[in-house]
């Protein structure tokens, strides 16, 4: 499969590796948009959270937690933003499941939260449609 993150996971394309275990990999994002931007991926190909099995998801989130704890314990960071786009409609550009990790320091001035336009529907209307 012609997937850039599969190639990175297989070592066929180089990356700046931050952490690796049997099933997951964390490496630096090349975007250069914010200091410390990393991506956590499962080594197996899944498109996103919609087709990922629960065991893989569990392993990926444990890796995200492990790296986040390392950032806080040893690298001088106070928190993290975790971002994920699942599906083209959500802005996903690389179709291999990944969680963006952005390390944060108090007062760093990074704006990692989108500025939304404001809800178009009454809260109750959406809630009744999506509740399980
Ligand atoms: P998405 O828009 O799918 O949530 O994020 C994809 C991310 O992958 C982007 O932040 C982009 O910079 C990153 N990316 C795309 N190609 C490569 C690559 O070849 N190497 C690395 N390290 N990151 C990549
Ligand atoms: Zn892939």
């Amino acid at each position: 499969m012609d997937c850039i993150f599969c190639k990175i996971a297989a070592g066929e394309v180089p990356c700046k590796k931050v952490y690796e275990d049997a099933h997951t990999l964390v490496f630096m994002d090349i975007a250069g948009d914010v200091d410390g931007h990393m991506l956590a991926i499962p080594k197996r190909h899944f498109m996103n959270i919609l087709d990922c099995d629960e065991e893989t998801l569990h392993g990926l989130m444990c890796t995200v937690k492990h790296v986040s704890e390392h950032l806080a314990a040893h690298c001088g960071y106070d928190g993290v933003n975790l971002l994920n786009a699942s599906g083209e409609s959500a802005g996903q550009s690389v179709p291999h499941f990944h969680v963006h990790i952005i390390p944060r320091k108090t007062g760093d001035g990074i704006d990692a939260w989108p500025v939304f336009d404001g809800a178009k529907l009454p809260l109750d209307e959406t809630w009744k449609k999506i509740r399980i």
Side-chain angles (χ1 to χ4, degrees), residues 40-93:
I41 65 167
K43 290 183 175 178
R44 257 185 80 191
H45 183 88
F46 294 94
M47 294 273 285
N48 54 48
I49 199 165
L50 298 173
D51 67 338
C52 181
D53 66 76
E54 289 186 4
E55 191 182 347
T56 301
L57 181 63
H58 181 250
L60 182 63
M61 291 315 292
C62 286
T63 288
V64 168
K65 178 172 168 58
H66 181 66
V67 170
S68 300
E69 286 175 346
H70 168 73
L71 295 169
H74 303 294
C75 308
Y77 291 103
D78 305 309
V80 291
N81 283 110
L82 307 177
L83 306 172
N84 166 259
S86 280
E88 269 183 44
S89 63
Q92 183 175 7
S93 62

Side-chain angles (χ1 to χ4, degrees), residues 1-7 9 41-47 94-97:
M1 182 188 298
D2 193 26
C3 169
I4 184 69
F5 288 179
C6 278
K7 287 180 180 165
I41 65 167
K43 290 183 175 178
R44 257 185 80 191
H45 183 88
F46 294 94
M47 294 273 285
V94 176
H96 180 127
F97 190 22

